[in-house]
Amino acid sequence: LTFQEHCENNHWIDFNTLVSKIIEYIKNKLVTLPDEIIVAGFTELSPIQQTLLKTCETEGTQISVLENLYSYDDPSKQTSFY
């Protein structure tokens, strides 16, 4: 069995498919978004996570990214997600 078949047989959904569904629901106004989302503790975001945040931002949610909390004095260690 492929991974996808295994998921389907067990009624499971993988992370990227889940996030894609959430993005679809946001675009179709089926989800009420908060005024602000604070992103903290990530060293990087996957492309699908970036797309999710961009979608939220497009729909009017403010996205605040807290930079790497352990590298205040070293800008080269800080992360920008988009």
Side-chain angles (χ1 to χ4, degrees):
L1 290 177
T2 67
F3 174 74
Q4 189 63 36
E5 290 170 335
H6 187 68
C7 288
E8 287 173 10
N9 289 343
N10 289 287
H11 306 285
W12 297 338
I13 189 168
D14 65 89
F15 179 77
N16 283 348
T17 302
L18 174 64
V19 176
S20 294
K21 291 274 185 197
I22 293 169
I23 291 168
E24 178 185 324
Y25 284 15
I26 291 169
K27 288 180 177 179
N28 289 316
K29 311 285 191 231
L30 298 173
V31 174
T32 302
L33 295 172
D35 293 332
E36 181 180 22
I37 294 174
I38 300 171
V39 180
F42 292 87
T43 54
E44 62 183 273
L45 293 174
S46 69
I48 194 75
Q49 290 169 316
Q50 291 177 33
T51 301
L52 174 62
L53 292 175
K54 284 284 192 192
T55 301
C56 292
E57 190 173 54
T58 298
E59 295 298 321
T61 297
Q62 179 182 340
I63 306 298
S64 299
V65 178
L66 298 181
E67 300 295 338
N68 186 336
L69 302 176
Y70 301 105
S71 53
Y72 292 114
D73 299 326
D74 187 353
S76 68
K77 293 183 180 177
Q78 294 180 351
T79 304
S80 175
F81 297 118
Y82 38 73

